[in-house]
Amino acid sequence: FLRTGSFDTQFFPLFSGGLALYGCVMLVFWTRLKTRYETKWTEDVKISGREDLNADAELEQHVDDETGELALAYPEWKHRLRQGVAACLLLLPLAAVVAAGLGALDVRARLMNMYPPLYGGLLAGAVTAVVLFVVVRLICFRWSAVFTHWENYTARSSYLSALAAKCFALETAAHLLPVLYIALLNYPILSRFAPANEPSIVDALTVQASAVFLAWWLCVAAVSSLQAWRWHTRAQGVAEELGAEGGRPDFNHREQAARPRFPGTTESSAWLSLQLTYTLVLGACCPLAPVLLYLWVMQRLHWDKSALIYIFQRPHPHSAPGGGFWADSFQLVVVTACAVQIPLILFCTRGVEWWVPQLTLEERWGLLGSLEMLVAALATYLLARSLRLGDDGGKPDDKVVMV
């Protein structure tokens, strides 16, 4: 880059393919770690006797056929019907995300032609990040919570998993849509300017992804750091009081029950998943993502640790069918990363011509179809593994999620 002024070099295919390989290796270790924690949490749940019940669910009375006792439940067909209606209504927030992404691309095209490339790209990225942050966080996330609550999940873990899936899908679509539009179409939207003005598709993706991610990360880091700093300050005050009294924080059940629950779990998990998406899916076009992800995780680990010790309730395992959506979202990120790196290497970068100059367009399409079929096979295997009842043939409720 320092010699040519472009990211589209002969090393781009190596780095892009290395990211996909690194994601697959990490997926193996992550699956083992998740299985080990699920086994441990299962033992904790059996000891504590906690139940996975959604207190906000609407339940109906019916007579149990076996015992004849009056029980509370919700008909499965009504729940499926509400899920279908909510999925149709979710198209409205998705349309808002698509409109925001296309509008941001049009604004970016205008700014890139009004200002020099570097300043125009940075300003366009900041505008895009702000628009996506407002539309996704303040509008789509709230409506996703409303739709998920209306679907009436009787299990608390199922409610959290459905809400997390909606939030992850909307935010990932909002950030990947502009990049895919530049890579695949790059046609003018409303104005006469195309979204990307760079001669190389990789350079256009680098400017778009890096500018949007940097502006979005600064917004998220500011909000997250302010919140975590307030918690850390409160925790230091409590620690000083306990130190003056010569005591240590009490972790008994009565004292923990009096504490407030840890807030912002969904938002923090969504931030982490999106940064992982940038790191693995767009890491070749956004080299800042891995470094900023590391800084964010280290900062959250340090300050959240103090808050969990002195202010909020410690998280306890609850009975749930699996590790929760956020535990399985890493599989989606890795599969998406593998699927995206293939067309990036074959069609978007000029570096492949340096390694294989005799590769024709027909051969590229053949490689694309073959490699994407392997990615589809990997996705099928992961889906089948996640839907399996358990390694020992037990019920799905034998596994738990940390809530």
Side-chain angles (χ1 to χ4, degrees):
F1 172 75
L2 296 177
R3 181 171 55 87
T4 62
S6 173
F7 282 92
D8 195 0
T9 64
Q10 64 269 24
F11 300 104
F12 184 88
L14 299 179
F15 185 65
S16 181
L19 278 177
L21 180 61
Y22 173 76
C24 294
V25 174
M26 285 299 299
L27 181 61
V28 175
F29 287 97
W30 170 249
T31 303
R32 292 180 179 179
L33 181 65
K34 185 170 70 74
T35 303
R36 186 168 73 247
Y37 273 109
E38 285 177 349
T39 303
K40 179 180 181 302
W41 294 341
T42 300
E43 299 175 357
D44 295 341
V45 166
K46 292 180 179 179
I47 295 174
S48 62
R50 292 179 177 270
E51 297 181 356
D52 183 29
L53 180 64
N54 186 12
D56 299 328
E58 300 176 3
L59 302 177
E60 299 179 1
Q61 295 182 353
H62 76 285
V63 179
D64 195 301
D65 298 333
E66 297 180 358
T67 62
E69 299 178 353
L70 189 64
L72 296 176
Y74 191 74
E76 184 66 20
W77 68 271
K78 289 186 178 181
H79 176 61
R80 297 300 181 186
L81 179 62
R82 290 196 176 192
Q83 280 185 316
V85 175
C88 296
L89 294 177
L90 196 63
L91 295 176
L92 298 176
L94 184 60
V97 168
V98 173
L102 295 179
L105 280 177
D106 185 73
V107 173
R108 177 186 185 276
R110 295 174 184 269
L111 293 175
M112 290 290 290
N113 286 274
M114 291 173 57
Y115 298 96
L118 180 59
Y119 297 104
L122 294 177
L123 183 58
V127 172
T128 303
V130 171
V131 171
L132 295 179
F133 186 86
V134 171
V135 172
V136 175
R137 291 285 171 174
L138 302 183
I139 299 177
C140 295
F141 272 28
R142 296 181 183 273
W143 279 105
S144 298
V146 172
F147 293 152
T148 308
H149 176 73
W150 183 76
E151 291 174 5
N152 197 34
Y153 289 92
T154 57
R156 181 65 178 173
S157 61
S158 300
Y159 167 80
L160 294 175
S161 179
L163 177 60
K166 293 181 178 65
C167 296
F168 177 81
L170 290 173
E171 190 156 40
T172 303
H175 284 261
L176 290 183
L177 176 65
V179 175
L180 295 177
Y181 192 91
I182 290 176
L184 300 178
L185 298 178
N186 198 31
Y187 292 140
I189 302 173
L190 299 177
S191 62
R192 65 181 184 275
F193 305 113
N197 299 326
E198 291 80 1
S200 171
I201 297 178
V202 170
D203 290 337
L205 296 180
T206 301
V207 173
Q208 171 72 19
S210 300
V212 172
F213 178 75
L214 180 60
W216 174 86
W217 189 88
L218 291 175
C219 295
V220 170
V223 175
S224 176
S225 299
L226 178 60
Q227 183 186 54
W229 176 76
R230 293 172 56 187
W231 294 345
H232 187 65
T233 304
R234 288 177 54 189
Q236 283 183 334
V238 176
E240 291 177 358
E241 294 179 0
L242 292 174
E245 298 175 359
R248 301 180 62 184
D250 194 355
F251 296 110
N252 63 70
H253 293 286
R254 181 176 300 178
E255 194 271 343
Q256 288 289 314
R259 291 186 180 186
R261 290 185 176 182
F262 185 80
T265 303
T266 301
E267 289 78 5
S268 181
S269 300
W271 290 337
L272 180 60
S273 293
L274 186 61
Q275 292 182 74
L276 281 174
T277 302
Y278 268 97
T279 301
L280 295 178
V281 179
L282 302 176
C285 302
C286 186
L288 292 175
V291 179
L292 296 181
L293 171 62
Y294 177 79
L295 295 177
W296 187 84
V297 170
M298 291 298 101
Q299 177 258 346
R300 293 293 303 194
L301 282 177
H302 176 66
W303 282 353
D304 288 356
K305 176 181 65 175
S306 302
L308 287 172
I309 292 177
Y310 294 103
I311 301 176
F312 300 109
Q313 292 181 8
R314 301 292 298 274
H316 293 283
H318 292 250
S319 176
F325 176 81
W326 297 119
D328 297 330
S329 64
F330 187 73
Q331 301 178 4
L332 297 176
V333 173
V334 172
V335 171
T336 306
C338 295
V340 170
Q341 303 310 314
I342 296 172
L344 277 180
I345 296 175
L346 293 177
F347 296 100
C348 296
T349 178
R350 294 173 298 190
V352 68
E353 299 175 359
W354 191 88
W355 295 99
V356 191
Q358 69 275 13
L359 189 64
T360 62
L361 181 61
E362 291 77 9
E363 292 173 345
R364 296 189 187 191
W365 280 108
L367 287 174
L368 176 66
S370 302
L371 295 177
E372 292 292 356
M373 289 180 62
L374 293 179
V375 175
L378 174 62
T380 304
Y381 166 75
L382 294 176
L383 179 61
R385 191 180 188 282
S386 62
L387 295 178
R388 198 176 302 162
L389 293 181
D391 298 335
D392 55 351
K395 298 180 180 179
D397 293 336
D398 290 342
K399 293 186 178 181
V400 297
V401 60
M402 184 67 76
V403 179

